[in-house]
Every structure is written in structure tokens, then in C-alpha cells.
Amino acid sequence: MIKKIAILTSGGDAPGMNAAIRAIVKSAHCNNIETYVVKQGYLGLYKGDIVKVNNDDIEHILNLGGTFIFSARFPEFKDIANRKIAKKNLDKLGIDALVVIGGDGSYKGAQKLSELGINSIALPGTIDNDIASTDFTIGFFTAWNTIVNSIAQIRDTMNSHHRIGIVEVMGNKCQDLSFFSGISSDVDYTAMPDEVLTAKDVARIYEISKKNKKNSCLILVTEKTYKNIHEFASKIEKETKVVTRATSLGHIQRGGMPVPMDKYIATMMGNKAVELLIAGKSSRCIGIVNNKFVDYDIERALDQPRTNRTEMVRIINKINR
Ligand code: ADP
Ligand code: F6P
């Protein structure tokens, strides 16, 4: 029976990570298990920055964006020597289990730690929704909501000036933030991560929007597609002779109070992580699939292919124009 659980958040932070931490701490205490938090992900595990937490430490965090135990990217964790130091730090405190909240990179870290004998469970925490073993990740719903609201605001001002607008969203090469935001926004065209539009392509989309008597033309593109989104806007302006403005939504997509759906999945997954550890499971990751909370072996989960949205995006682009 496990006695002490540590929790860490790793990779890009995501709204709802705090709700997951809260659920883990509360569920653990209901089962007389002590809880610890590791500051700054695997970096803190390596440095031994681990502190004990009780229910009163997490009382206020349900609605907080970000992660109150901080996150980090620590590529040096790929080195087994550093993971061994991390294990020693856990052993010193008698910690026998770890819950990692993060994306697929963080999953790999958790899997490698379980090979060293640490009971590890991974929860999907990333705005990108790029983990194939779950329909949705913690943080995705909030980022999606932020994007849709931002696009509506940009459309207002583009309409007022009869402009072309380019909106760039995050996603780290995953199609989901673009796809789900495009389908629920008033954009004329949604370009997926692998689609590089030219100024001439945009001019064609603009002509259709004019024919459809729209006051402006709005195009959603994904980060890492254009080196400089403002230079792309200038090229479009030259091609169309229509004033064009680009907005990269940037890190506002990562912050903010989690929406209810993120708090819901975070809480259910946090509770399930403790249940799995009590049942003696390790190297498992949790997901929500077809409305059920499920768990998989981490290595097998990482091998699953992601859902491809390319066909579905054609439907959006037909309906939205
Ligand atoms: P995410 O978890 O959001 O995908 P990263 O890919 O940056 O973000 O991974 C987060 C952290 O997980 C890395 O900074 C590193 O500490 C750890 N990590 C990533 N890949 C591995 C690996 N192959 N082995 C051990 N740790 C890893
Ligand atoms: O993984 C989340 C994410 O926000 C990606 O969408 C984006 O590509 C990346 O992190 C940005 O990372 P950073 O905050 O380190 O620039």
C-alpha cells in the first residue's frame, strides 16, 4: 500500500492543472496518504525541490489558471543519470508514487521513472490536445474558448474597417486547436498546421467573402507555419489592395481561469490517478474516451496515432465561407 504521493506539472502549463492537483491531494487524504508537490516539474525533482502539502494549501486553487507548483522544460531529464538523482530525492522522503501532469514529453519522463521503480501515473495536461490516448486533455477546453472569444472580437474590428484579418493560434503541429476553433468561429477559412497559404490563395478567399457580401475576411492559421505573420499580412495587402492585419494570439491561449469542462475532467482524472496507485498500478496514463475515464499503459498510449481532421476541415471551410 502506498503511503506518500508526489505531484508535478511539466511542459507547457494548462488551465485546469491546479484543479487536478487539488483532486489528487484531496483523494489521497481521504485514503490517509500523505501528499507532496514538486516545484518546476522534472527540474524540481532533480533538484529535490519537494514540499509536503495538506488540504488547506490547495483550498483556493480550483479556479486558478497556470500551475501553482510551477512548470518547466528540462531536457536533461532524458539522461538516466539525472533520473537516478531524481529517484534518490524521492527515496529520501520515502515517497513511493508520483503523478505527472503534462504532455507527451512529460509522459515519457513518467514512463522512464516507472522503469526505475517509482510508481508513476500520467495525466494529460496541455492546451494542444495532442495526446492520442484521450479525446480531450486538461486545458484544451479553456484555450479553445479563449480563441473563439478572441476571434469574435477581431471580427468586430475587421468588419468595421472592411479589412482582411489573419489570426494565428497555437497547437504545436497538432490540428485540434485550429480545427475546433475554426468550426466554432466566424472565420472564412481555417488552415491546418501543414497548410501554407500564399497571398494569392488569400486573395481568392477574399473574393468569395466579398461575393457573399461579408464586411471583412478572416483567416485562421496555425503557429509555426509562417516565419513572420506580419510580413505575410503585408504580402496579402500588396496582392489584394485591402488593408490586412495579423494577430498572433500567443500566450493568452495558455492562461486564464479554467472553464468548467477542464475542471471536470481534471478532477475526475486526479481522483482516478489516486485510485490506480492504491490498486498498485504504475506506468499508466489516464484519458477520457467516449465519455468514460480510462487508463492505458503509457508506452502503448504514446504509440497511438492522433485523429486526423483534414477531411473534416473541408466541411468547415465549405460552411463558413
Ligand atoms: P510536454 O510534456 O508538454 O510534451 P515537453 O515535450 O517539453 O512538453 O516535455 C516536458 C519535459 O518532459 C521535458 O522538458 C523533459 O524534462 C521531459 N521529457 C521529455 N522527453 C523525455 C524523455 N524521452 N525522457 C525523459 N524525460 C523526458
Ligand atoms: O504545448 C503548449 C504550447 O503552448 C504550444 O501550443 C506552443 O507551441 C508551445 O507550448 C509554446 O511554448 P513556450 O511557452 O515554451 O514558448
Side-chain angles (χ1 to χ4, degrees):
M1 176 72 182
I2 55 150
K3 292 199 176 64
K4 295 182 180 184
I5 295 180
I7 309 159
L8 66 81
T9 49
S10 166
D13 63 332
M17 281 181 161
N18 286 325
I21 298 166
R22 173 178 173 269
I24 297 161
V25 171
K26 291 214 169 190
S27 302
H29 288 169
C30 288
N31 288 286
N32 297 317
I33 298 169
E34 283 181 26
T35 49
Y36 291 76
V37 293
V38 182
K39 306 281 180 73
Q40 287 188 285
Y42 293 123
L43 173 64
L45 203 56
Y46 165 78
K47 291 200 299 195
D49 197 354
I50 305 169
V51 291
K52 194 171 171 198
V53 287
N54 292 313
N55 277 349
D56 45 346
D57 295 308
I58 47 92
E59 228 24 275
H60 61 290
I61 66 172
L62 177 65
N63 290 319
L64 282 185
T67 161
F68 93 111
I69 60 174
F70 313 114
S71 191
R73 301 196 202 268
F74 180 55
E76 294 84 351
F77 208 63
K78 289 181 186 161
D79 182 345
I80 187 160
N82 292 334
R83 293 200 296 275
K84 283 186 176 162
I85 293 172
K87 178 171 162 37
K88 267 195 194 147
N89 289 331
L90 289 172
D91 289 346
K92 259 190 255 163
L93 295 167
I95 294 169
D96 38 22
L98 178 70
V99 183
V100 170
I101 311 167
D104 51 2
S106 306
Y107 273 37
K108 281 180 202 144
Q111 190 236 322
K112 298 251 167 75
L113 284 172
S114 68
E115 285 168 11
L116 289 182
I118 300 160
N119 298 309
S120 307
I121 302 289
L123 260 57
T126 165
I127 65 162
D128 298 331
N129 209 38
D130 58 353
I131 298 179
S133 57
T134 183
D135 289 345
F136 295 106
T137 55
I138 298 164
F140 174 73
F141 292 101
T142 306
W144 176 12
N145 188 57
T146 302
I147 294 170
V148 169
N149 289 335
S150 305
I151 290 176
Q153 289 173 231
I154 293 169
R155 180 62 104 167
D156 287 344
T157 171
M158 293 298 128
N159 273 344
S160 306
H161 290 267
H162 296 288
R163 285 176 172 174
I164 296 174
I166 307 292
V167 185
E168 186 187 62
V169 304
M170 281 186 169
N172 199 18
K173 300 276 175 205
C174 177
Q175 297 178 321
D176 285 20
L177 273 179
S178 305
F179 169 73
F180 283 95
S181 303
I183 202 160
S184 41
S185 295
D186 177 23
V187 289
D188 295 82
Y189 192 86
T190 303
M192 295 302 246
D194 48 2
E195 187 176 4
V196 187
L197 294 174
T198 62
K200 280 197 169 35
D201 293 330
V202 175
R204 275 192 288 274
I205 298 164
Y206 170 70
E207 285 308 320
I208 298 169
S209 70
K210 230 169 56 178
K211 222 170 83 194
N212 290 338
K213 309 232 173 331
K214 294 199 184 181
N215 289 320
S216 65
C217 177
L218 208 53
I219 294 179
L220 186 154
V221 301
T222 318
E223 65 167 0
K224 300 175 185 173
T225 307
Y226 302 93
K227 214 164 161 198
N228 186 324
I229 196 76
H230 302 288
E231 271 173 18
F232 181 48
S234 303
K235 282 186 190 154
I236 296 167
E237 195 166 309
K238 244 188 195 158
E239 180 70 33
T240 59
K241 313 280 181 287
V242 177
V243 175
T244 303
R245 294 285 184 264
T247 310
S248 181
L249 295 183
H251 286 79
I252 66 159
Q253 295 163 97
R254 284 239 295 261
M257 179 168 95
V259 297
M261 193 66 184
D262 275 326
K263 289 189 271 190
Y264 161 60
I265 67 168
T267 302
M268 294 301 287
M269 289 177 178
N271 179 63
K272 192 172 172 72
V274 176
E275 285 175 356
L276 288 176
L277 288 169
I278 290 172
K281 303 271 174 67
S282 181
S283 202
R284 308 291 292 176
C285 58
I286 297 174
I288 179 168
V289 177
N290 295 332
N291 274 327
K292 289 202 173 61
F293 291 92
V294 293
D295 59 286
Y296 296 101
D297 175 72
I298 295 180
E299 206 167 0
R300 283 182 51 201
L302 288 172
D303 284 344
Q304 289 182 28
R306 279 188 217 145
T307 308
N308 191 298
R309 316 278 185 197
T310 308
E311 271 313 306
M312 287 187 285
V313 88
R314 293 210 177 101
I315 302 173
I316 316 178
N317 286 333
K318 191 175 69 188
I319 291 172
N320 279 2
R321 66 188 183 189

